[in-house]
Amino acid sequence: MINAEELQKNPKLYIFLPLYYTLWADSVLTPTEVLEMQKLIDSQKWLQNHEKEWLLKNINPAKPPKSKELKSWKNKIKELKLENLEDLSQIGIALAKKHDSSIQIEKAIIDDFKEAELALGLLSREAGYAFKSGHQTITTAHKKAYNFDIGKMTALLDGNQADLIKKVKAVITDPSFAYKEYDSLLEQREQVLQWCKDLADQGFGAWAFPKYANGKDDMEGYFTIMETLSYHDLSMVIKFGVQFGLWGMSVFFLGTDKHHQKYLKDIGSLKLPGCFAMTETGHGSNVRGLETTATYDHDKKTFIIHTPNPDARKEYIGNAALHGQMATVFAKLIIDGEDYGVNAFVVPLRNVEGEMVHGVKIEDCGRKMGLNGVDNGVIYFDNVEIPKENMLDKFASVNEAGEFESPINSDNRRFFTMLGTLVGGRIGIPRSAVSATKTGLTIAIRHAEKRKQFGPEGGEEVPIMNYRMHQRRLMPPLATSYALHFALRYLTQRFLKRTEEEAQEIEALAAGLKAYATSFTTTTLQECREACGGKGYLSENRIDALKNDTDVYTTFEGDNVVLMQLVAKNRLTEFRQEFGDMNMFTIFNYITNQAKTSITEKNPLIIRSTDQTHLLDMDFHLSAFKYRERAILSSAAQRIKKHIDDGMDSFDAFNVVQHHLVNVGQAYIERVILEEFQKEVMDTNDVECRDALLQLCQLYALHTIEKNRGWYLEQGYMEGVKTKAIRKEVNQLCWEVRKNALALTDAFDIPESCIAAPIARC
Amino acid sequence: MINAEELQKNPKLYIFLPLYYTLWADSVLTPTEVLEMQKLIDSQKWLQNHEKEWLLKNINPAKPPKSKELKSWKNKIKELKLENLEDLSQIGIALAKKHDSSIQIEKAIIDDFKEAELALGLLSREAGYAFKSGHQTITTAHKKAYNFDIGKMTALLDGNQADLIKKVKAVITDPSFAYKEYDSLLEQREQVLQWCKDLADQGFGAWAFPKYANGKDDMEGYFTIMETLSYHDLSMVIKFGVQFGLWGMSVFFLGTDKHHQKYLKDIGSLKLPGCFAMTETGHGSNVRGLETTATYDHDKKTFIIHTPNPDARKEYIGNAALHGQMATVFAKLIIDGEDYGVNAFVVPLRNVEGEMVHGVKIEDCGRKMGLNGVDNGVIYFDNVEIPKENMLDKFASVNEAGEFESPINSDNRRFFTMLGTLVGGRIGIPRSAVSATKTGLTIAIRHAEKRKQFGPEGGEEVPIMNYRMHQRRLMPPLATSYALHFALRYLTQRFLKRTEEEAQEIEALAAGLKAYATSFTTTTLQECREACGGKGYLSENRIDALKNDTDVYTTFEGDNVVLMQLVAKNRLTEFRQEFGDMNMFTIFNYITNQAKTSITEKNPLIIRSTDQTHLLDMDFHLSAFKYRERAILSSAAQRIKKHIDDGMDSFDAFNVVQHHLVNVGQAYIERVILEEFQKEVMDTNDVECRDALLQLCQLYALHTIEKNRGWYLEQGYMEGVKTKAIRKEVNQLCWEVRKNALALTDAFDIPESCIAAPIARC
């Protein structure tokens, strides 16, 4: 076409070229399109007949231009180097004038062209982009832009633990801590053991122990160590936790001075590797159903530890398959044939040479989905005899007369008091989980900043971080990571300063935050994996390990679904002893009082409000969370009560509302998280940091409300116009937070050698 | 207490014992409780003063009974061996009468006791369970109960492919296909290669190829083979798919007779292992942005294949790291400096001895999250020369004159036509994914039937399958697996019989079902992992492999988020060439028409209906799905149009509504799935099978509506009373489907040697 005689003779015909190119470039010509073009050509009085014929010939669907021809049209137009975008007829005119600057185009012609373009369904302005390059749009121009001081934000996150965090990081960034690929399970486990020894040498293992055991008597520091180590290999963290947290703390909290003096020093130095042997094959969640027995022999002053059946073997016990020399074993204490419930005993497994103690049999759990650096094992006891002093006797003992003695007479209450002392695990694990999530988000967000894919016509490809769906995947989790960081710090403080009266509340809080944080971690690392595409699937980019190692966090220290029910039951009752009990029936006075105070606060002016100031208001957020917390608790209680009043077994009644109960726990935890996050925002003095945190806090709040919008709508607490406005606000917050995203992950201050993923390199 | 003189003298006092036990057993006595007991004791005129004193002494909070004492009370009561459960005062009376049969208890006394129990907040009936054993409740009694013929259900699932399925199963259950633990990546990859060779020897590799290439010309069978193999090792399935599906089919569909004659036979027999080299480091989703070049040299009649920069290296290419000898390479064809877009070329990589061809460099992708039996590699081409005939020239070629020729002139349209022929991968992958999900569900459901944990007071522990939350985790996915089975069969049929006019629709359907099914698989296998607790974390129980191997299914054959947008765009436009294009502007005539037909069918009688017949009605389900599909499409179109009318770039406008678009795709796919499932139910002649399928279909429908209830409520299509009733119905359906669950997984008829998980052994 462009070499045709007609064009040479009458350059005015160039006006058709951009339209012709656009029509041919992306499609076969449809009959309608041909018709519209015929109409346009027919109506142009300035065209001579042979020109019309020529033009029509060039829109014959049976004779499309060749690829090469089409390309030459485009190149011809691109030679114009149009700076400002113009529509197709404007481009055509410019082209015509380039060939003959004297050409004049009447307004009527322009109108005809515009009409034709409209009829053809072309968005003329955009069609022109095909002839441009460097075209910028809102999406292409969006980018990183933050104004807070990253160091100040890090200081906010680290708080009074900054020095210890620095100390831990110094160790795990040592070249001896570089990640490795292992040729075998054994090699991996030995490396992890070595790392744990190195950490013990630094004093980290004994950190929470008393000074006489070379400790610092600093439980807060212990949690900080767990959290910071979790930027590194998670097998190491879990092995560390098994040795110093589970094995060490069980001796510390369940034992008495004689045990402390005897064991703690060697536990803290890792001279005495040990296990925490609670879970059995047949009983995981229902610990009270454990079947291992510890039978007292008053003549010999010994206990016989025994596995009465295969279901009673101890399972998944960390440190058992290879390294453990002793274990805290949970077993039912039997005296004179009477069962005194689950108690704890120190039982030797191996001597220092690693030889198995007579009567102990241990099998290797083998490969796991993750945490393969931890040597989990299965332990069987065949009438293993231990001396009487090996009973960890803080809460129960056998007296000189061979009788059971305890300051707590109820087996149940004693059992839960014992377990309550071990609640630290439910603080350490979620803090570890959030560290892993922070690493995952750092990798995924850095990748999303660098990775470009697709772009507007005539423009460059766009960082995938600029796509709204990608922001939706990564920004709310980023906000939640910050929220959980502060919530877990709050939990830790409450735990450290707890009084006896608060114990139940704090146990429920720990159970709930453990469940919430670890489920969040699993979901988020899955998002990170997918958000990094094929790169996320390669082990070198670390999401594999982060995801698979933390996967079991939702199970150990209590299955999350079971835990959320415990939280709900704690909310339903103030009776400590019911904690963990599926049969609860002494709760109804409480419920009746609770029910009275709920369902009050639906303000008819508010439920339809879409005002942005209102939607972003922290008071609105907290009210909505609190309303949900209270209303959902109250309706659960009423449902249970109704079923029981109707004659249903309470066990069945609780089962019927199980799904509801999980939401009760969830709503409570979400309220706590938001409340603490808001306090943190308000307590922040640095204006820029506060603004950044406020935005995250708003995103956490609105994203959570959006997630629960079905419930709010059902309740009539909000109407559709409002939930739609909230969705839009969440999108907008994601768009805004995206500017800070990279800086917010930098503020986590995770050592580069721990991140390690090639796709996360700057 | 029970040995006290008072009791011996006046056995009538035994009436207090059950109440005393209950109060002491679970708690410290509160002041209120003491007060209530004092009131009760004071009011009993039949008591002598010293008896009152004695009774009060025994409820002194400062002097609790010892554990042993407490146990003896309980044992005393249990000696009654109460068959029928009675409340605490009835048990007390029975106890008193046992010691003195002449004792009479007045009704007034019983009333006093009942009143006291109420005031104490005790649920008397249940308190009595503590003294029973073998207590049954609705939850404990619930169990497996199905009435359909499992064989008939299997026959329904297998349809006309039953014989081939049997044949494939015979091969993969051969002892040579037993799962192994591997000492190294190399060992695993060689085993997987060997398995693929064994499958090729059976003729499975060439199944879809023409007869002259030793094939059966049976594409349907090929998909059946992929699906059935997916009960076994998934590395094997993907290696198989790379060789016969991607490498083989690309030659078959993009090449012409000369290529077929030359290569297909050796591909089908695995004599010629090859690769499908499309994805580059810099371009995954945006295939049109590929940068590898194929520059034509007319003098030598060759193409030079070249990697111009590191981002243009071919990445994640299966079969590349070790075994591939050739590859279909996608590269931009350059003739005389002009770029003719992405085309496909057969490029040799290694000779039969495995030596690399000059100019080819391959790196190993190393360990991945899963699929480690597949040798993925990174390929660089340094000016690799190939003969002209190596261009796969079905859709484009270079003619004798050295000019580009194609029956399709538009680069875009040609590109998408080429890609369209490869849509089979988007059928094979979701079918493989659903097989893996079926295996995961079989393992988790079998485990849940056997695993018992917790139980009612005085009763046995309950199979975790009886817990409502557990049902909520596993029953909807079981229903969805059936739904997807039929939907993917429908897709396969549509694909096999497609006309040119239907091609775009079917490509969108495949893209959407691929995204939907593989995301479902990822979510469900995660649920299965967690539902199996610690056991699910052990590799021996297979969920590890199932989950990690399928994890990348959400990424390859198209990232799911990108695919769902493609589906939405297909819904928005009938213009084929826009498929895959982020810049779409020629769609508005269509949109305007679409918008007119929507938002019509909110029946005010229906939106509040909680009638069960209505809620379970298939017509209601389908109407709700269709309404959502249409309304959400129409509102997305209107939003885009409004933004563009307001002057926004279409690229930006699509980005703003990206989240909305993904829902458009989702709603469309969900409607198709439901529609096909309903047809399948109605076409089922066997009444028992139909009933079982109907229940699954109802569960799929209502669970999906429940998931989208926020949207339905926002739209005013349903009111809160109705969505609450739906939630209840979903719970009830889960409870009912649970009875069939084991049988429904048995009907999948997955070979036991493929399931292999110890926890799934019957």
Side-chain angles (χ1 to χ4, degrees), chain B residues 259-331:
Chain B
H259 305 110
H260 301 166
Q261 297 295 343
K262 190 167 176 186
Y263 299 121
L264 283 184
K265 210 164 165 177
D266 289 347
I267 294 175
S269 70
L270 200 33
K271 197 177 149 196
L272 181 61
C275 311
F276 181 83
M278 180 184 269
T279 298
E280 295 176 0
T281 302
H283 288 92
S285 294
N286 188 10
V287 178
R288 271 192 297 175
L290 294 180
E291 295 176 280
T292 300
T293 51
T295 308
Y296 182 61
D297 184 330
H298 191 51
D299 294 335
K300 296 165 82 177
K301 305 281 188 300
T302 56
F303 297 101
I304 305 297
I305 308 294
H306 188 63
T307 306
N309 64 63
D311 262 10
R313 65 201 162 171
K314 297 294 178 182
E315 182 140 14
Y316 322 118
I317 308 303
N319 242 350
L322 285 181
H323 303 129
Q325 290 172 16
M326 291 198 133
T328 296
V329 174
F330 290 80

Side-chain angles (χ1 to χ4, degrees), chain A residues 26 71 126 411 577 650, chain B residues 26 71 126 411 577 650 652:
Chain A
D26 274 332
K71 284 182 208 304
E126 303 230 344
D411 288 355
Q577 73 279 15
S650 68
Chain B
D26 275 333
K71 283 183 209 303
E126 303 228 347
D411 289 354
Q577 74 279 14
S650 68
D652 294 330

Side-chain angles (χ1 to χ4, degrees), chain A residues 447-477:
Chain A
H447 177 66
E449 278 278 7
K450 287 192 302 176
R451 174 76 172 173
K452 292 180 178 182
Q453 208 76 175
F454 297 109
E457 187 77 47
E460 290 203 345
E461 286 189 300
V462 172
I464 56 176
M465 196 70 259
N466 285 0
Y467 291 112
R468 297 282 189 155
M469 273 304 292
H470 217 75
Q471 292 166 7
R472 275 232 164 223
R473 289 178 122 170
L474 299 177
M475 295 303 101

Side-chain angles (χ1 to χ4, degrees), chain A residues 584-628:
Chain A
M584 188 165 61
F585 46 83
T586 56
I587 60 172
F588 294 104
N589 288 326
Y590 176 77
I591 287 174
T592 314
N593 292 331
Q594 273 303 101
K596 278 178 205 153
T597 61
S598 72
I599 313 180
T600 53
E601 57 177 276
K602 286 174 205 159
N603 178 339
L605 291 172
I606 299 290
I607 62 171
R608 295 184 53 81
S609 172
T610 60
D611 173 62
Q612 199 188 33
T613 316
H614 167 65
L615 294 182
L616 293 176
D617 179 36
M618 294 213 282
D619 289 341
F620 157 58
H621 300 159
L622 193 56
S623 301
F625 276 52
K626 282 185 171 170
Y627 171 76
R628 177 167 151 84

Side-chain angles (χ1 to χ4, degrees), chain A residues 418-679:
Chain A
M418 274 175 57
L419 288 200
T421 63
L422 304 173
V423 71
R426 291 185 181 158
I427 299 174
I429 288 303
R431 290 186 64 167
S432 170
V434 172
S435 290
T437 314
K438 288 173 181 170
T439 308
L441 285 169
T442 302
I443 295 167
I445 288 170
R446 288 190 186 177
H447 177 66
E449 278 278 7
K450 287 192 302 176
R451 174 76 172 173
K452 292 180 178 182
Q453 208 76 175
F454 297 109
E457 187 77 47
E460 290 203 345
E461 286 189 300
V462 172
I464 56 176
M465 196 70 259
N466 285 0
Y467 291 112
R468 297 282 189 155
M469 273 304 292
H470 217 75
Q471 292 166 7
R472 275 232 164 223
R473 289 178 122 170
L474 299 177
M475 295 303 101
L478 180 60
T480 307
S481 296
Y482 269 81
L484 276 170
H485 179 95
F486 297 122
L488 289 167
R489 182 153 83 185
Y490 164 75
L491 167 65
T492 308
Q493 292 305 328
R494 291 286 313 272
F495 172 74
L496 295 171
K497 295 175 190 156
R498 73 192 178 285
T499 63
E500 205 174 319
E501 290 70 40
E502 294 175 320
Q504 292 171 56
E505 182 207 340
I506 290 164
E507 283 166 31
L509 189 61
L513 277 169
K514 183 272 179 187
Y516 190 90
T518 57
S519 290
F520 163 73
T521 292
T522 297
T523 312
T524 302
L525 290 172
Q526 185 65 39
E527 283 295 352
C528 291
R529 205 301 286 153
E530 295 179 31
C532 293
K535 285 285 181 196
Y537 198 61
L538 300 182
S539 300
E540 65 176 20
N541 287 319
R542 295 258 306 138
I543 297 175
D544 172 11
L546 291 167
K547 170 104 186 65
N548 279 305
D549 288 344
T550 56
D551 200 278
V552 77
Y553 284 25
T554 57
T555 298
F556 65 27
E557 289 289 343
D559 171 83
N560 282 358
V561 175
V562 175
L563 288 186
M564 273 300 183
Q565 290 172 64
L566 296 191
V567 176
K569 285 177 182 177
N570 173 278
R571 298 276 86 202
L572 285 168
T573 176
E574 285 163 25
F575 296 146
R576 168 76 177 276
Q577 73 279 15
E578 300 304 336
F579 193 72
D581 186 346
M582 299 292 266
N583 309 301
M584 188 165 61
F585 46 83
T586 56
I587 60 172
F588 294 104
N589 288 326
Y590 176 77
I591 287 174
T592 314
N593 292 331
Q594 273 303 101
K596 278 178 205 153
T597 61
S598 72
I599 313 180
T600 53
E601 57 177 276
K602 286 174 205 159
N603 178 339
L605 291 172
I606 299 290
I607 62 171
R608 295 184 53 81
S609 172
T610 60
D611 173 62
Q612 199 188 33
T613 316
H614 167 65
L615 294 182
L616 293 176
D617 179 36
M618 294 213 282
D619 289 341
F620 157 58
H621 300 159
L622 193 56
S623 301
F625 276 52
K626 282 185 171 170
Y627 171 76
R628 177 167 151 84
E629 179 190 9
R630 217 163 47 239
I632 207 166
L633 172 65
S634 154
S635 63
Q638 285 165 358
R639 283 181 64 199
I640 295 167
K641 180 152 166 54
K642 187 178 174 309
H643 285 307
I644 291 178
D645 288 350
D646 291 349
M648 192 183 272
D649 254 86
S650 68
F651 184 75
D652 294 331
F654 274 92
N655 194 22
V656 167
V657 303
Q658 206 173 41
H659 182 230
H660 195 148
L661 287 180
V662 169
N663 285 326
V664 167
Q666 198 87 6
Y668 162 66
I669 293 300
E670 284 169 349
R671 188 269 300 161
V672 173
I673 293 171
L674 181 67
E675 200 162 53
E676 294 311 313
F677 200 176
Q678 291 190 345
K679 278 187 203 153

Side-chain angles (χ1 to χ4, degrees), chain A residues 264-283:
Chain A
L264 283 184
K265 208 165 168 179
D266 289 347
I267 294 176
S269 70
L270 200 32
K271 194 176 151 197
L272 181 61
C275 311
F276 181 82
M278 179 185 270
T279 298
E280 295 176 1
T281 303
H283 288 90

